[in-house]
Amino acid sequence: MQIIISNQETFKVIFLKYHKSLCLFALKYLKSKEDAEEAVQSVFLKMLEVKVNFESQEVLRAYLYRSVYHTCLNSIRSKTRQINREDFYQSQIDPDEQPYLNNMLRAELTAILSRELTFLPKIQADIIKLSYFEELSNDEIAARLDLSLQTVKNYKHMGLKSIRKRFSRDSAFYTFITFLINFV
């Protein structure tokens, strides 16, 4: 029996059938419920975008688990790189200069973000303002805007990604904003 994911109803059935078990599977690797749910959500969104067809239920199940596994590995690698970058940057800063540099970096990030927020959809701009200007946590933003935590994370990620796209990867601004976003 071939499974064709061409409509929302088929997708919904597959999502409801596998979502919980895939989240538990991802949790074994990522150790965070939120990260596990994000990994699974990413796989389902990708599957919906690509509109993949499967020969059988077994092929679909194998695809989902394999995709979640690789998404988890990529997430772990990404977090490891981020931690290594942060450790490297911290090791390069004189402890006496750290508060000064933190304040300077925050001021630079605020200036860049203020300018770039005008190019984002209002909801993304609002979430980034609350996060970086008012220094609210994602949970606090979700409560204030009456959104789910995952929605806040998604809009924040999309907004920051849009801002990064406005700069060339080779430019100092791209590196600087990436550093600031990861550092602050």
Side-chain angles (χ1 to χ4, degrees):
M1 173 177 82
Q2 187 170 11
I3 300 171
I4 301 171
I5 303 173
S6 59
N7 62 42
Q8 264 191 316
E9 193 58 39
T10 306
F11 179 80
K12 184 178 177 181
V13 169
I14 292 168
F15 181 85
L16 291 173
K17 181 174 183 175
Y18 290 104
H19 182 262
K20 187 172 185 171
S21 58
L22 289 170
C23 285
L24 291 172
F25 176 73
L27 186 60
K28 297 290 184 192
Y29 296 99
L30 299 177
K31 310 294 187 224
S32 159
K33 182 179 177 188
E34 291 81 19
D35 290 344
E37 288 175 353
E38 191 172 324
V40 172
Q41 179 181 349
S42 171
V43 168
F44 275 111
L45 287 174
K46 190 177 195 181
M47 186 174 72
L48 189 59
E49 288 172 1
V50 177
K51 296 184 180 176
V52 184
N53 299 330
F54 300 96
E55 296 173 15
S56 68
Q57 192 78 13
E58 292 77 28
V59 173
L60 168 64
R61 194 174 100 249
Y63 169 84
L64 289 171
Y65 278 94
R66 188 172 51 252
S67 296
V68 168
Y69 172 75
H70 287 290
T71 301
C72 289
L73 291 182
N74 289 339
S75 177
I76 291 167
R77 284 187 205 112
S78 176
K79 285 185 180 188
T80 301
R81 284 191 302 268
Q82 180 180 351
I83 289 168
N84 289 341
R85 272 194 311 270
E86 289 172 1
D87 289 346
F88 172 76
Y89 294 135
Q90 289 292 329
S91 72
Q92 300 300 310
I93 297 173
D94 180 6
D96 295 334
E97 292 182 20
Q98 204 161 8
Y100 166 79
L101 288 176
N102 285 344
N103 291 335
M104 181 187 75
L105 293 173
R106 185 168 295 284
E108 289 295 321
L109 175 62
T110 302
I112 292 169
L113 287 178
S114 292
R115 186 181 69 237
E116 295 300 321
L117 289 177
T118 60
F119 300 105
L120 295 179
K122 182 175 177 1
I123 187 69
Q124 291 175 11
D126 289 346
I127 288 172
I128 290 173
K129 283 178 193 174
L130 291 171
S131 179
Y132 289 97
F133 299 169
E134 295 187 29
E135 299 181 10
L136 297 179
S137 70
N138 289 340
D139 290 325
E140 293 169 325
I141 295 169
R144 184 179 285 187
L145 298 179
D146 195 29
L147 298 170
S148 73
L149 176 61
Q150 191 58 49
T151 300
V152 168
K153 288 179 181 180
N154 290 344
Y155 279 136
K156 188 175 181 182
H157 177 75
M158 288 186 294
L160 294 174
K161 190 174 177 183
S162 294
I163 291 171
R164 285 187 197 136
K165 282 183 181 177
R166 293 185 40 78
F167 299 104
S168 161
R169 281 186 161 261
D170 299 332
S171 76
F173 285 116
Y174 181 90
T175 305
F176 186 62
I177 198 163
T178 300
F179 167 73
L180 288 175
I181 290 167
N182 288 328
F183 183 71
V184 177

